[in-house]
Amino acid sequence: MKIIKKISIFALFVTFIFALAACGKTGLGNSSNDNKSTTQKSAKELKLGVSISTTNNPYFVAMKDGLEKAAGEKEVTLKIADAQDDAARQADDIQNFISQNVDALLINPVDSDAIVTSIKAANNANIPVILIDRGSNGGEVLTTVASDNVEAGKMAAEFITKQLGEKAKTFELSGVPGASATVDRGKGFEQISKTNLDVLSSQSANFDRAKALNTAQNMIQGNKEVQAIFAQNDEMALGAAQAVKAAGLSNVLIVGIDGQPDAHDAIAKGDITATIAQQPAKMGEIAIQSAIDHYQGKKLEKETVSPIYLVTKDNVDQHNW
């Protein structure tokens, strides 16, 4: 009986030790970016799930094209879901990818707060997360591939100041409330505008051209002495240009951010003045390569910065996506 009792105690001890070891495992090591615990895979073996905020915007269509092109060249299997600017829909899409046990999630968040729950769900499932263009306010990610949106906002305000001088009467059209791009572009713009410009009004138009047209029309009705309009993306800048034209105003300086083809055309025609151009297709390419690098045991930086540049009528023919 004593021998049996000793064996039972030993068996319980061994079970306890294995249980502790199991609790200490972190699967792919995505929460700490510890690539030593990652099961290495070739690009051909990878299955990636991509959630894009919307494809109803040329900027994100270019991003999608960049993702697909890079995946095709590297022979990575890619599944793409369009959240249609709906945070709840994006959460459902990501949950589906988690259920499919994809090797990594590439996410362009609709909302930087709402996406946190989905990222944490991926963390719990040991699925690495890479963010594109927009950040998150929580959860663990391998890297965030994005332009410096704070710098983009600053560049826009500095351009307006340089062109019109200090205290120029300015409107601001902001993006989707809660999106990191909205917060960061607004922050950068404010850093310069609070001392250099006279911002008459700042209102959200959700990064949407039609909403920007209506919002800008209302803003203009309240103050037709406006000299400049800063739009946090090109879609809103194009909407603002329509509103300016409809109001019969001239010489209103309009600056957007993104560098999309329609904006280049509008700059060439003189409908808008400038854009701070980003490279969404390049971001998609970098995101794919980041996933490949992770599964090859390479360490990723927490932030991967994609360059931006000012496009005006003087250099519009030199740049495009």
Side-chain angles (χ1 to χ4, degrees), residues 276-307:
I276 313 301
Q278 301 185 95
Q279 302 182 68
K282 183 68 175 178
M283 289 184 202
E285 177 187 328
I286 293 171
I288 294 291
Q289 188 60 52
S290 296
I292 293 171
D293 288 347
H294 174 69
Y295 276 98
Q296 291 180 351
K298 297 179 182 178
K299 182 176 176 60
L300 301 178
E301 296 296 328
K302 281 296 182 183
E303 294 183 0
T304 306
V305 179
S306 181

Side-chain angles (χ1 to χ4, degrees), residues 24-25 32 58 82 84 100 105 112 115 121-122 127 171 177 186 193 199 210 242 246 250 283-284 304 311 314 316 320:
K25 289 184 179 179
S32 62
D82 176 6
Q84 298 180 12
Q100 293 168 29
L105 280 163
S112 298
I115 199 63
I127 297 175
F171 292 155
S193 66
V199 179
Q242 290 178 284
S250 59
M283 289 184 202
T304 306
V311 177
D314 292 336
V316 68
N320 216 326

Side-chain angles (χ1 to χ4, degrees), residues 145-159:
V145 181
S147 301
D148 187 337
N149 281 305
V150 174
E151 182 62 23
K154 288 174 64 176
M155 285 174 66
E158 288 168 348
F159 177 75

